[in-house]
Amino acid sequence: MFSIPVVDPGAQRRIEKLIRRIHPTCPVHIFRKPIIERKTRTFIDHFPGTVMFAVKSNPDDDVLLAMLRAGLTTFDAASIEEIRLIKRFSPSARIHFMHTVKSREAIREAYFDHQVRVFVIDTLDELHKILHETNLANDLEIFVRMALPKNKEAAVDFSAKFGATAKGSAFLLHEARLVCSKLGLMFHPGTQSTNPDIFYSGIKMASDIIIRSGVTVDALDVGGGFPVPYPGQDIPPLSRYIDRIKSAVEDFGLSHLDLYCEPGRALCAEAGLLVVRIEQRKDKTLYLNDGIYGGLIEAAKWAGEFRFPVSLVSRHPDLVPDNAPFIPFRFCGPTCDSLDRMKGPFPLPAHAAEGDWIIISMNGAYSQCCRTNFNGFGLHKVMMVDF
Ligand SMILES: Cc1ncc(COP(=O)(O)O)c(C=O)c1O
């Protein structure tokens, strides 16, 4: 067993010091502002189009503010609550309302109260709904969401639930062109897409659909799905994804389109750490004060496929032996549900004991926003640090 570096050694020391100072008794989400800013700027500097943040992955106030400060101007929102949140921080932010199934009330409020003009559809019914609720507005920007063939190299296939067939997408482009001021096509290859070629084939498919539709299209949105390097996963660098996107856009004659992407995980996962406490140890199983109904929902969902890096902060650092061996642990969450377990293996020093804390890193996406209060274990804290 080996120790997985959680964060850079300097930051690790500062986080350990922070934990020893605050002695957290409930789970704490720590977000690292410089990492959020760096990830955001890297995407903005290298993606050949407009970068939107998928707010659903981390709607924390300070995270959104850090992104705005780093130069992000455009957001992908999935609900009216996310739209209200963004507008509170940045009245001038541009928002794309990218859920294919919107309530009539949400469409009305988005259009009339928050000046949202960009909506996505994958059915004709949704287009009619948008037209009706905006009083046949003539300044709508409509994206058609197309489904991709099943992506086995993603953690979740995002075309299983949303997106029109190729034929249906071409038809929707044709119909939407008649009523919108700007027309786009979009796809999402699936979250944590580990093969950049999926973007190339997605763009090829988009090109075929545009030709089939017979109408002029103005924009292409290649979704999110850009992965992060969880332990044990061999992830190509972002530059390979960008290269494949650029090549596809050129190869299929789409360079004239306005290009968008909407990453979530890739902008915030590596900036987040979750600090949990060991409440009991039974052999190689650690019972924690957080689990799959809390900040570890993803650790459970994809336990077989990817794990989070972990490290131990001992409650009694003076008693810790030098060069302590590492052994594989399993985790159990605090609720009474037997599903609330994570098989790991999570390598930690063999002396891990009740009262020690575990830092779980790369946990900044789909984490604190997915928490529940199940069994009364919802209490947690959120902190932003500037290192
Ligand atoms: C429409 C849409 N865009 C973007 C994202 C962000 O995806 P990811 O976090 O994989 O980048 C999601 C995730 O659910 C989504 O549904």
Side-chain angles (χ1 to χ4, degrees):
M1 270 291 142
F2 53 93
S3 159
I4 298 170
V6 168
V7 288
D8 49 288
Q12 175 81 16
R13 271 195 300 278
R14 293 178 76 171
I15 288 162
E16 289 181 11
K17 208 168 145 193
L18 177 69
I19 294 170
R20 292 219 166 82
R21 182 162 58 76
I22 62 176
H23 264 242
T25 54
C26 68
V28 185
H29 290 275
I30 300 177
F31 298 123
R32 299 178 62 199
K33 191 160 68 175
I35 309 281
I36 292 166
E37 290 175 349
R38 198 176 72 220
K39 294 275 166 194
T40 306
R41 273 197 303 269
T42 302
F43 254 90
I44 292 174
D45 290 348
H46 294 95
F47 183 76
T50 303
V51 178
M52 305 188 269
F53 174 54
V55 177
K56 60 181 81 66
S57 59
N58 192 330
D60 180 80
D61 295 1
D62 289 327
V63 168
L64 295 176
L65 281 172
M67 289 180 176
L68 283 166
R69 263 196 303 269
L72 199 91
T73 56
T74 315
F75 293 84
D76 149 26
S79 65
I80 196 65
E81 208 37 65
E82 286 184 358
I83 292 172
R84 290 179 193 146
L85 173 72
I86 300 159
K87 286 288 171 173
R88 262 205 311 276
F89 285 115
S90 175
S92 63
R94 229 180 114 72
I95 297 175
H96 290 202
F97 198 167
M98 297 309 277
H99 198 308
T100 53
V101 186
K102 297 165 282 298
S103 75
R104 290 181 178 275
E105 294 80 8
I107 294 169
R108 265 203 309 277
E109 183 179 330
Y111 184 86
F112 290 108
D113 298 351
H114 306 294
Q115 287 68 53
V116 173
R117 296 295 178 262
V118 189
F119 297 86
V120 71
I121 60 167
D122 65 359
T123 62
L124 197 56
D125 284 348
E126 190 72 8
L127 179 62
H128 290 158
K129 204 199 275 180
I130 294 166
L131 288 170
H132 189 258
E133 296 309 320
T134 58
N135 301 340
L136 299 178
N138 61 9
D139 56 357
L140 292 171
E141 300 183 23
I142 300 290
F143 275 82
V144 172
R145 179 161 175 172
M146 57 187 248
L148 294 181
K150 187 169 170 50
N151 178 8
K152 293 200 187 85
E153 288 166 300
V156 180
D157 177 21
F158 274 21
S159 294
K161 187 168 169 186
F162 301 114
T165 60
K167 189 173 165 202
S169 299
F171 167 72
L172 287 173
L173 284 177
H174 185 269
E175 295 300 294
R177 179 77 283 175
L178 302 170
V179 291
C180 69
S181 71
K182 199 171 162 189
L183 181 63
L185 186 57
M186 72 94 43
F187 62 83
H188 191 306
T191 201
Q192 190 69 5
S193 278
T194 53
N195 187 346
D197 289 345
I198 187 70
F199 285 91
Y200 191 89
S201 53
I203 294 170
K204 177 180 187 317
M205 197 173 153
S207 157
D208 293 343
I209 289 172
I210 292 170
I211 293 168
R212 188 173 187 166
S213 75
V215 297
T216 307
V217 169
D218 310 297
L220 176 65
D221 176 346
V222 298
F226 301 91
V228 296
Y230 296 104
Q233 286 201 326
D234 194 14
I235 300 297
L238 177 64
S239 56
R240 287 265 307 281
Y241 287 79
I242 303 280
D243 286 348
R244 293 307 277 153
I245 291 168
K246 280 183 181 163
S247 302
V249 163
E250 272 172 33
D251 292 352
F252 303 115
L254 301 178
S255 308
H256 60 290
L257 299 188
D258 289 342
L259 198 60
Y260 295 89
C261 67
E262 43 190 80
R265 181 184 306 281
L267 295 193
C268 57
E270 288 166 272
L273 309 151
L274 175 64
V275 179
V276 298
R277 193 171 68 171
I278 303 172
E279 304 294 13
Q280 190 180 78
R281 174 172 174 175
K282 275 188 203 163
D283 190 22
K284 290 182 185 167
T285 302
L286 303 177
Y287 287 72
L288 310 178
N289 64 353
D290 207 8
I292 70 164
Y293 294 96
L296 287 167
I297 182 164
E298 286 219 307
K301 236 181 354 191
W302 292 314
E305 292 177 46
F306 62 83
R307 306 186 300 275
F308 296 104
V310 291
S311 70
L312 191 77
V313 181
S314 178
R315 194 161 152 242
H316 301 293
D318 301 341
L319 304 179
V320 172
D322 287 341
N323 300 320
F326 280 69
I327 60 169
F329 284 97
R330 287 178 298 273
F331 291 165
C332 279
T335 69
C336 297
D337 185 351
S338 285
L339 287 178
D340 194 2
R341 289 181 298 172
M342 291 139 270
K343 65 176 189 283
F346 298 102
L348 287 167
H351 56 76
E354 190 222 323
D356 292 347
W357 296 275
I358 297 172
I359 302 173
I360 297 166
S361 66
M362 301 183 71
N363 185 253
Y366 307 105
S367 179
Q368 109 275 18
C369 53
C370 295
R371 303 189 75 90
T372 74
N373 204 27
F374 179 46
N375 252 196
F377 289 108
L379 185 69
H380 67 281
K381 290 201 166 83
V382 181
M383 297 174 78
M384 176 69 98
V385 294
D386 59 6
F387 55 85

